[in-house]
Structure formats: structure tokens, C-alpha cells
Amino acid sequence: MPGTAERPLSPHLQIYRPMLTMMMSIVHRITGSALFFGTLLLVWWLVAAATSASAFDFANAILGSIIGKIVLFGFSWALIHHMLGGIRHFIWDTGHGFGPEARERLAQLTIGGSVVLTVLLWIGILVVKG
């Protein structure tokens, strides 16, 4: 067909302007994948606790290192962010929050809430740990 070869048959990523809600959808999928790997770490820690004192001490040493704490911080942020994203989807399931302003606000609350709750969680951990 003449004239159709110059234009794509379906929309391509080059014509989409990144929007916050689109980025949130991508991050929701990424955090879901990160939770899979974080849960493997949790299982490893629990198996070490059930196996022997030396295995548990080794797991605690790894997870208690600087890199381990960074990984655990990221895991806790991913867990909280994914949970808040799920709440956002639940709100949509009730038929609310579909307007442009509401969608943007829910996305902003998910980002801000996940950061604030993660920081508060780790402050609480550090206070309890002493």
C-alpha cells in the first residue's frame, strides 16, 4: 500500500511522554520482582536459624554488614512501595481515583509514603536495637 510504509502500524515508545503513573506501573513490577529475591534472603535467614548457631551467625554477619543493611533497606522499601501500590490499585478497584488529578496524587502519595514509611521503619529499628 502506498503511503503506509512511513508510519508505524502501532504506537511506539518514542511517541509516549513518560508520565508518573506510567513510571509507577513499571516500578510496581520491578518491586514485585525484587520482593521475590528478598524473600529468598528471608528464607535463607530462617533456614540458617533452624540449622545451627554457626549458620545463623554467618547469615547475621552477612545481613548485618553494610552491604547487607543496604540490601535490607532496599527490600523493606520495595515491600512498602509495592504494598502502597497495591492499596492504590485497590482504590481503583472500588471505582475511585480515576481522574487525572486523583491518579497523579495517588502516585505521589505512593512514592512519598513509601520513602517516609521506610525511613520511619529503619529509625524504629535503630532505636529498638540501641
Side-chain angles (χ1 to χ4, degrees):
M1 288 189 237
T4 59
E6 292 98 34
R7 64 180 183 85
L9 297 177
S10 62
H12 289 259
L13 291 176
Q14 299 139 342
I15 67 166
Y16 286 113
R17 184 175 48 94
M19 298 174 13
L20 183 58
T21 52
M22 182 173 74
M23 294 294 117
M24 293 297 292
S25 176
I26 294 167
V27 171
H28 190 75
R29 287 173 171 84
I30 291 169
T31 57
S33 297
L35 292 178
F36 171 78
F37 293 105
T39 302
L40 291 178
L41 283 177
L42 178 63
V43 168
W44 170 62
W45 183 75
L46 290 172
V47 168
T51 304
S52 68
S54 62
F56 186 64
D57 290 340
F58 177 71
N60 277 340
I62 297 294
L63 295 175
S65 70
I66 296 294
I67 293 173
K69 287 179 182 176
I70 291 170
V71 169
L72 289 175
F73 185 86
F75 176 66
S76 60
W77 174 80
L79 182 64
I80 292 169
H81 185 78
H82 199 78
M83 177 197 66
L84 292 177
I87 292 171
R88 183 168 54 106
H89 281 269
F90 179 73
I91 292 169
W92 289 341
D93 288 344
T94 66
H96 297 86
F98 285 114
E101 299 85 19
R103 282 193 323 261
E104 194 76 13
R105 188 71 179 140
L106 284 172
Q108 293 168 349
L109 287 171
T110 301
I111 294 169
S114 66
V115 170
V116 168
L117 289 174
T118 303
V119 169
L120 288 175
L121 172 69
W122 278 83
I123 288 172
I125 290 169
L126 293 175
V127 166
V128 168
K129 195 172 179 181

